[in-house]
Structure formats: structure tokens, C-alpha cells
Amino acid sequence: RVDGIQGPDEGDYALELDGESLAEWNGYAERATPMHGNAVARTLTSGRHAMVARCVGRSDASGGYDAELDALVGEARDTGP
């Protein structure tokens, strides 16, 4: 998942990791608020990876197109026996 800050000047972003879509980031909120993005099941190999954040617009109430993305968070999954 991707974590960050929603706020009054934030935009909406399509997120990709290694060319595959992650959940969309909707950045607008009336006040600055920490946000945990939606988790997407993905198996990553060791080594380098590329994340792309592409602005796709903004809420009508937003004053800008900023993105305060803070962390790409990996969580262990049980893959069975």
C-alpha cells in the first residue's frame, strides 16, 4: 500500500509499481490528514522496483494538484504450507 497525507491542495493520482496498477490515490481532504492507501496483493522479488505517480486530476474542491506520498508499505502474507 502507499501511505501519505490528504489535504486541501492535493490531487488525484494513478499509481503504478513496475508497470502494474496500484490503487488510485485520491488526495483531497478539507484538512491535512494522514491516510493509509488500499493494500494490493503483489509478490515482489528482491532488488530495485519503480513506482510511478501520474496525476489524473483533482477534486473540484481542491486548490491544487500536490501529492504528499510518504511510504510504499509492504506487508508479509501467509502463502500457505
Side-chain angles (χ1 to χ4, degrees):
R1 72 174 198 260
V2 176
D3 294 349
I5 304 293
Q6 289 180 309
D9 296 321
E10 309 302 313
D12 297 333
Y13 285 78
L15 304 176
E16 295 179 359
L17 182 63
D18 297 333
E20 295 183 33
S21 294
L22 294 173
E24 189 167 296
W25 180 265
N26 296 307
Y28 176 76
E30 287 185 19
R31 294 185 189 99
T33 306
M35 178 184 165
H36 294 290
N38 295 325
V40 175
R42 177 91 36 93
T43 301
L44 296 177
T45 59
S46 62
R48 295 183 133 205
H49 297 277
M51 188 176 100
V52 174
R54 181 169 290 110
C55 184
V56 294
R58 67 179 187 180
S59 166
D60 290 341
S62 179
Y65 294 91
D66 295 345
E68 294 186 56
L69 305 175
D70 185 47
L72 174 62
V73 179
E75 298 176 344
R77 300 186 288 159
D78 181 11
T79 58

